[in-house]
Amino acid sequence: MNSLIYNTGTVSVSGGLSIVEGNLTGWAVALVEGGVFSCDGLSIPILSVEDDTHLTLAYAWPGANGSGKQYAIARTSSEATARAATWTVDRLGKLAQTPWGVGVVPDGRGTLAQRDALSPMPNDDYCWLRVEVDEPAELYFREGGVWLGPYELRGEPGADSAIPSPAGSKGWTPVIAVVADGARYVQQVIDWTGGNGGKPAAGQYVGSSGFVETIEDAANIRGASGDGTGDMLAEVYDPSNKAADAFSMRNMAEDGDAKIMTAAERVAIAGLPDALASKIGRDEPPVANSFNLLKDAGRFAGSPEPQGARVTSFAAPAYIQPANGATVSAGPKHIYDNTTYGGSFGDLDADVDALISKLKDASYRRYGVEFYLMQITAGAGTGTARTINGVSHYLPFAIPQLPLPPELTINYHVLVKSGSLGCGIPATPNWLYLDGQHYTGAQQILPADGWRQVTRRVAYDPRQFNGYDNLIHQLFATPGAVFYLAALTVTPGLLPMGEGRYYGVVPSLEAWR
C-alpha cells in the first residue's frame, strides 16, 4: 500500500488534452492523489485523480496520441505513507461499523456449531469465517462478549460503469403462424411484437423444447388422423348454435377462388327461384331487415313513437312491468344536434355520450333520433331468483304475456350504476350475447363494465312453444341495484350477431304508418 511507484494497467493519452484514461487501472483504490505521471519519456505532474480510470495532468499532454501504453506514477514517500495511514484508519473505522470483510484475515473458520464450541471462547476483535456446506460464506466478529454478524463477503458498491452494455432483446413476443410441412403442421415465428430495442430475427420454428432452425426439427402439432366424432358426424352441424359464430361472415376473408358474397349480391339473388337458389348455397332462411315490434321503438318517449327525430318527454312503456318492488323513472336523453359534437341544443350527459360513442363513429354523434335512458331501481323483493357468479339476483321487471313469434331477437343496452345485474341462461333455446359475443353460461354485469349490449336470440320449436314468455329477457338484479336501460328492440327473426356488432334505436312500424 505504501509503494512509491504505481504502474498497473495501461493508459491512453491525447496530444493537447490533459485527461489521461486508464485501462485496468485502480488509481482511486490505490489512493493515488498526486505525484508525477511518466509515459513515452515525458513526465508531467498530476493535478487530480477523478476515479480509478481517469486523472488530470497539470498541463496538456505534449506528446502524440496513443493507447495501450505503459506508464508509471511516482509518488513521494511522505504522500504514500500518509495516504496508506489514512486508508488504514478509514477502512478500520468502516469495518468497525459495517465489517464487509475487505482485507480481513479470519482468526478461525468452520461451521457455526464449531464456532460456538470454541473453548476458551475468544476475546473481542476475534474474526470467524463461516465455512459450511450449502450455506454462504460469512464473517462474524467477537465484540462485547457476543458474536456480531453475519456479514457478507463482498466489497463496497463500486461506481457505475462508464462502458455501455449492448442492448438486448427485451420484452419481444413472437408472432406464430402455422405452416404445412407435407402431412405435418408446424409453428413458425413470422415476426416479433411489443418489444424495445432491436427486433430479433424471425424464421425459426417451434420445437418440442424451444426454437429450432429447420422445419424438420419443428414439432408436429397435427393430431392423429381418424374418424370424426360429435358434431362432425351430426346430420345438422352444432345443434347448440355455435355454428352461427364459427361461420359468421365477419370472420371470413376472401382468398384466391374463395369469395364472400357482398350485401348487394345477396340482394340480387333474393328473388331467385328456390330451385336455383338452393344450387348456389342459399339453404339458410334469409334474414330480413329488422324492425321493432315495440310501438315506442324503445325510445321511452310515448307510444306510438314520435314521428320525428326529437322527443319531448319521458314515458314509461306498459310493456315494462316492475317486479319485486322495483321502480322506473326517466334518465337522461340523447340530444339531436347536441353541443358535445358541434351542435347547439345542449351537452350530452356523460352516460349518454359513453353509449353513443360505443354505437357510432365520431362524425355521426351530433345528430340521430332522440331517446331516453330508463332508470330502473331494483326493489327489496326476492321473487324469481337466480344465482349468478355466486351472487343472488332477482327479477326487476317482467314483460306482458303477449304473443311472440317463435324466432325473434331481443336487443338492449344496460349500464349498471350500483349493485349488480345478471344475465340468465334458461333451458329453452334462448342464446345470450354480450357486445355481440356468444356466451353459454350466465354472466354478471358490474359498474366497472360500462355499457354492455345484451342480446337474446330465441328460436322455439313452434310445436313446443306457448306463444308468449314474460321472462324472455332473462335479466336479474341484486336488491337496490340501479341501472339504465336503453334502445330496447324486439324484432322477428334472428338478427346477425358478431363480436363488436352493435344495434342502436331500431324503428317501429308505427312511425311510418
Side-chain angles (χ1 to χ4, degrees):
M1 180 59 63
N2 58 357
S3 173
L4 298 180
I5 300 297
Y6 186 93
N7 57 2
T8 301
T10 60
V11 296
S12 297
V13 291
S14 299
L17 298 179
S18 59
I19 300 298
V20 178
E21 293 188 4
N23 179 36
L24 300 177
T25 55
W27 297 325
V29 171
L31 305 174
V32 175
E33 285 193 342
V36 177
F37 173 84
S38 298
C39 180
D40 282 351
L42 299 174
S43 297
I44 300 176
I46 296 174
L47 179 65
S48 62
V49 174
E50 281 67 44
D51 53 39
D52 283 336
T53 58
H54 294 84
L55 61 79
T56 302
L57 301 177
Y59 54 86
W61 178 249
N65 296 346
S67 60
K69 290 184 170 294
Q70 302 297 319
Y71 76 101
I73 295 175
R75 295 180 290 179
T76 65
S77 176
S78 59
E79 176 206 355
T81 302
R83 293 305 299 152
T86 301
W87 182 90
T88 302
V89 171
D90 177 69
R91 293 303 187 271
L92 289 177
K94 291 183 178 179
L95 188 60
Q97 300 174 22
T98 309
W100 299 103
V102 177
V104 175
V105 178
D107 299 297
R109 67 193 66 201
T111 66
L112 294 184
Q114 291 172 325
R115 181 203 66 182
D116 295 337
L118 292 174
S119 180
M121 188 59 67
N123 297 323
D124 288 354
D125 300 327
Y126 190 93
C127 176
W128 181 267
L129 173 62
R130 182 185 187 183
V131 180
E132 200 161 346
V133 177
D134 295 330
E135 297 293 342
E138 299 167 331
L139 288 175
Y140 293 82
F141 293 85
R142 190 74 175 174
E143 187 70 34
V146 297
W147 290 105
L148 302 181
Y151 300 104
E152 297 181 17
L153 285 176
R154 65 180 182 185
E156 298 179 47
D160 291 340
S161 172
I163 303 175
S165 298
S169 302
K170 298 180 179 179
W172 289 101
T173 300
V175 178
I176 303 294
V178 177
V179 297
D181 178 33
R184 305 190 322 143
Y185 286 96
V186 300
Q187 295 174 301
Q188 184 179 26
V189 178
I190 60 172
D191 198 3
W192 296 84
T193 184
N196 296 318
K199 182 186 293 189
Q204 59 267 58
Y205 299 89
V206 179
S208 58
S209 59
F211 292 140
V212 295
E213 294 300 323
T214 64
I215 195 170
E216 292 80 11
D217 295 329
N220 182 18
I221 63 172
R222 182 177 184 177
S225 61
D227 295 334
T229 60
D231 290 332
M232 294 297 101
L233 298 180
E235 180 178 353
V236 177
Y237 176 72
D238 204 345
S240 63
N241 198 45
K242 291 181 181 178
D245 295 332
F247 299 111
S248 169
M249 292 185 68
R250 295 175 63 86
N251 298 327
M252 297 181 184
E254 290 191 350
D255 182 22
D257 295 333
K259 300 297 181 182
I260 298 175
M261 190 176 297
T262 66
E265 290 168 340
R266 289 195 297 273
V267 171
I269 68 167
L272 292 177
D274 288 341
L276 179 59
S278 63
K279 296 182 182 298
I280 58 175
R282 208 192 75 188
D283 295 328
E284 294 286 336
V287 177
N289 290 329
S290 58
F291 68 89
N292 206 336
L293 291 176
L294 304 178
K295 293 181 69 175
D296 71 344
R299 297 169 70 181
F300 306 142
S303 181
E305 70 168 301
Q307 290 184 309
R310 300 186 184 277
V311 297
T312 56
S313 60
F314 173 82
Y319 57 77
I320 297 292
Q321 299 179 334
N324 286 317
T327 59
V328 171
S329 60
K333 77 172 183 177
H334 175 243
I335 301 172
Y336 174 89
D337 195 18
N338 60 78
T339 308
T340 303
Y341 292 98
S344 55
F345 284 87
D347 291 332
L348 291 180
D349 175 85
D351 290 329
V352 175
D353 188 16
L355 175 59
I356 292 300
S357 296
K358 190 170 185 176
L359 297 178
K360 296 181 179 295
D361 292 339
S363 59
Y364 292 88
R365 297 172 190 167
R366 175 175 172 179
Y367 299 102
V369 296
E370 294 185 341
F371 61 91
Y372 281 92
L373 308 184
M374 178 188 294
Q375 179 174 304
I376 301 178
T377 303
T382 56
T384 315
R386 298 289 189 275
T387 299
I388 298 173
N389 201 21
V391 179
S392 296
H393 296 72
Y394 308 95
L395 187 69
F397 68 89
I399 63 174
Q401 292 181 332
L402 297 174
L404 293 172
E407 290 189 352
L408 76 156
T409 302
I410 299 177
N411 194 84
Y412 55 90
H413 301 267
V414 293
L415 174 66
V416 180
K417 302 294 288 183
S418 65
S420 167
L421 292 181
C423 299
I425 300 291
T428 55
N430 184 329
W431 297 292
L432 169 66
Y433 296 78
L434 294 180
D435 293 331
Q437 182 177 348
H438 183 210
Y439 288 87
T440 58
Q443 298 295 312
Q444 187 179 20
I445 303 176
L446 300 171
D449 296 328
W451 281 103
R452 301 301 302 271
Q453 175 179 267
V454 182
T455 309
R456 314 299 309 215
R457 300 176 83 217
V458 183
Y460 289 100
D461 181 342
R463 294 177 58 84
Q464 301 175 8
F465 179 44
N466 290 325
Y468 63 87
D469 184 352
N470 60 343
L471 299 182
I472 198 169
H473 56 295
Q474 287 292 311
L475 187 67
F476 304 89
T478 54
V482 178
F483 63 96
Y484 285 143
L485 177 70
L488 178 61
T489 297
V490 180
T491 188
L494 303 179
L495 288 180
M497 294 305 303
E499 187 171 355
R501 181 163 187 167
Y502 299 107
Y503 293 92
V505 172
V506 175
S508 71
L509 294 179
E510 298 294 325
W512 295 92
R513 287 186 169 184

